[in-house]
């Protein structure tokens, strides 16, 4: 492979970047997508051609600052420093290079948004998570995480009455039913092959409660990699479906009268080789205490859409109350028992779904847990009943996006962690989404969330 003229040469790149160039050429990759997640939870990006990849690995691709003020309806919000004037770069992380089996000839890398001088930009979501991981490291801790996503598989059909397209599930099988395995089998095998090709190790799969609903989980990883994995997962679930003339959506509630799609967040905290959640000590208690203390505000980031709050309801196993308990699937924080002697205990945050930006979601969870550890917050007694059976005894989480955003604005720890530019943009984008969907009917909301997520 020869050096490129008029720009960065192969010899100037590090070994990881050089391997990316070699793979692109050997595997016949023509377009490489530089992907990022915006404040609306949408995965966006631009693509570099193989002929200019050597340069773009160093310089990134130019991008307007305004895109981080765009909501999920592509409505640009009035946010200071995010207008028509200003430039950032979409700078890829070459360690995240993956082929896209559902898009032959294409590959992708997860990316940071940086200023033209290469310094971090205050609205980059991936940088927010990196900074949270670094803050955790100052205390000697590392976080391992995994998202546990659900999605609905079906076909997108025009409405005979001229309204929004409808999602028709692929089946009407029962929860965990063998017929559900059979109906979705061809798609599932293709999805597993695609994920494994991209380095995501598949753990479990089953047909879930609702018609066409699927759950497929991948192996845990260090926090940044876990969020990157979730972006890849979202893209692959939908891309494989499209190649098979189907439609997959990870929207929290794509069908109003059916089960919602969560993306439960599993967490374990480590000090070198020791899992600090393996026993009921001060560290685990403090982390849970931090999650519970900040949970009303956290939901604005972990349940990132208007549609999220149709799912986040009592008696739906979504964790709608600010409580924790061992293997309590109605608690917001479940203390999971390990699988077998070699299994590792972990915490499961249930109010979490795939309409959230995973970098903001996981970063905020880290800040909340770390605040609990530092202040020695007491989570109180574990709850071993369905909290909805004890009226008035437990605190209900926000029931709307606006209510969650109010809680976020009142949370000094999370607002400080987000920083001035990121928090002003996030709040503006999310307030605009709440107002936009309030002005339309339910079918409009369901269609746009099914379409986007």
């Amino acid at each position: 492979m020869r050096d490129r003229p008029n720009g960065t040469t192969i010899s100037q790149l590090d070994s990881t970047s050089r391997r990316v160039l070699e793979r692109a050429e050997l595997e016949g990759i023509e377009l490489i997508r530089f992907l990022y997640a915006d404040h609306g939870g949408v995965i966006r990006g631009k693509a570099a051609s193989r002929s200019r990849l050597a340069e773009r690995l160093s310089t990134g691709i130019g991008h307007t600052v305004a895109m981080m003020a765009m909501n999920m309806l592509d409505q640009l919000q009035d946010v200071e420093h995010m207008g028509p004037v200003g430039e950032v770069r979409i700078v890829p992380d070459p360690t995240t290079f993956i082929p896209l089996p559902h898009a032959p000839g294409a590959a992708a890398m997860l990316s940071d948004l940086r200023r033209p001088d290469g310094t971090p930009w205050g609205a980059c979501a991936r940088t927010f998570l990196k900074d949270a991981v670094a803050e955790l490291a100052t205390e000697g801790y590392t976080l391992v995480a995994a998202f546990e996503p659900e999605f609905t598989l079906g076909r997108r059909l025009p409405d005979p009455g001229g309204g929004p397209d409808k999602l028709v599930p692929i089946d009407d099988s029962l929860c965990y039913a063998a017929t559900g395995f059979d109906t979705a089998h061809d798609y599932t095998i293709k999805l597993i092959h695609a994920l494994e090709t991209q380095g995501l190790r598949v753990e479990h799969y089953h047909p879930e409660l609702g018609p066409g609903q699927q759950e497929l989980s991948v192996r845990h990883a260090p926090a940044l990699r876990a969020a990157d994995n979730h972006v890849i997962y979202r893209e692959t679930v939908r891309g494989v479906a499209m190649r098979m003339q189907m439609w997959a959506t990870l929207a929290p509630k794509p069908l109003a009268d059916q089960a919602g799609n969560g993306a439960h967040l599993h967490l374990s905290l480590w000090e070198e080789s020791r899992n600090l959640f393996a026993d009921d000590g001060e560290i685990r208690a403090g982390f849970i205490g931090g999650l519970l203390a900040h949970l009303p505000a956290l939901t604005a980031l972990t349940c990132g859409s208007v549609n999220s709050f149709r799912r986040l309801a009592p008696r739906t196993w979504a964790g709608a109350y600010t409580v924790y308990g061992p293997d309590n699937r109605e608690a917001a924080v479940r203390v999971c028992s390990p699988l077998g002697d070699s299994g590792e205990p972990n915490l499961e945050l249930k109010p979490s779904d795939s309409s959230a930006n995973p970098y903001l979601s996981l970063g905020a969870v880290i800040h909340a847990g770390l605040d609990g550890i530092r202040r020695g917050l007491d989570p109180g007694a574990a709850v071993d009943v369905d909290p909805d059976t004890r009226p008035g005894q437990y605190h209900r989480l926000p029931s709307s996006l606006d209510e969650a955003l109010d809680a976020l604005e009142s949370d000094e720890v999370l607002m400080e962690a987000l920083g001035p530019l990121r928090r002003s943009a996030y709040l503006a984008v999310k307030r605009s989404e709440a107002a936009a969907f309030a002005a339309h009917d339910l079918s409009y909301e369901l269609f746009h969330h099914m379409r986007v997520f």
Side-chain angles (χ1 to χ4, degrees), residues 48 84 206 311 400 402:
H206 60 264
R311 168 188 168 268
S400 70
D402 267 329

mmCIF file of all heavy atoms in Angstrom, residues 48 84 206 311 400 402:
data_model
loop_
_atom_site.group_PDB
_atom_site.id
_atom_site.type_symbol
_atom_site.label_atom_id
_atom_site.label_comp_id
_atom_site.label_asym_id
_atom_site.label_seq_id
_atom_site.Cartn_x
_atom_site.Cartn_y
_atom_site.Cartn_z
ATOM 1 N N ALA A 48 -16.369 8.287 5.108
ATOM 2 C CA ALA A 48 -15.174 8.588 4.321
ATOM 3 C C ALA A 48 -14.982 7.493 3.282
ATOM 4 O O ALA A 48 -15.272 6.319 3.532
ATOM 5 C CB ALA A 48 -13.949 8.668 5.220
ATOM 6 N N PRO A 84 -25.600 28.236 12.885
ATOM 7 C CA PRO A 84 -24.982 28.044 11.575
ATOM 8 C C PRO A 84 -23.489 28.336 11.548
ATOM 9 O O PRO A 84 -22.801 27.955 10.596
ATOM 10 C CB PRO A 84 -25.746 29.015 10.685
ATOM 11 C CG PRO A 84 -26.261 30.058 11.613
ATOM 12 C CD PRO A 84 -26.561 29.350 12.892
ATOM 13 N N HIS A 206 -33.973 -15.099 23.259
ATOM 14 C CA HIS A 206 -35.287 -15.724 23.371
ATOM 15 C C HIS A 206 -36.357 -14.786 22.823
ATOM 16 O O HIS A 206 -36.174 -13.576 22.796
ATOM 17 C CB HIS A 206 -35.621 -16.094 24.822
ATOM 18 C CG HIS A 206 -35.637 -14.926 25.775
ATOM 19 N ND1 HIS A 206 -34.554 -14.585 26.543
ATOM 20 C CD2 HIS A 206 -36.601 -14.027 26.073
ATOM 21 C CE1 HIS A 206 -34.847 -13.538 27.276
ATOM 22 N NE2 HIS A 206 -36.086 -13.169 27.015
ATOM 23 N N ARG A 311 -43.632 2.972 28.499
ATOM 24 C CA ARG A 311 -43.100 1.705 29.000
ATOM 25 C C ARG A 311 -42.877 1.750 30.510
ATOM 26 O O ARG A 311 -43.129 0.756 31.209
ATOM 27 C CB ARG A 311 -41.771 1.402 28.294
ATOM 28 C CG ARG A 311 -40.987 0.260 28.935
ATOM 29 C CD ARG A 311 -39.595 0.090 28.356
ATOM 30 N NE ARG A 311 -38.835 -0.826 29.210
ATOM 31 C CZ ARG A 311 -38.065 -0.453 30.214
ATOM 32 N NH1 ARG A 311 -37.906 0.832 30.501
ATOM 33 N NH2 ARG A 311 -37.420 -1.353 30.952
ATOM 34 N N SER A 400 -43.461 11.185 32.928
ATOM 35 C CA SER A 400 -43.379 11.834 31.615
ATOM 36 C C SER A 400 -41.971 12.361 31.419
ATOM 37 O O SER A 400 -41.213 12.563 32.385
ATOM 38 C CB SER A 400 -44.382 12.989 31.510
ATOM 39 O OG SER A 400 -43.975 14.074 32.344
ATOM 40 N N ASP A 402 -41.154 15.382 30.432
ATOM 41 C CA ASP A 402 -41.064 16.708 31.041
ATOM 42 C C ASP A 402 -40.792 16.616 32.539
ATOM 43 O O ASP A 402 -39.989 17.380 33.084
ATOM 44 C CB ASP A 402 -42.352 17.497 30.785
ATOM 45 C CG ASP A 402 -42.268 18.360 29.532
ATOM 46 O OD1 ASP A 402 -41.159 18.820 29.200
ATOM 47 O OD2 ASP A 402 -43.308 18.574 28.889
#
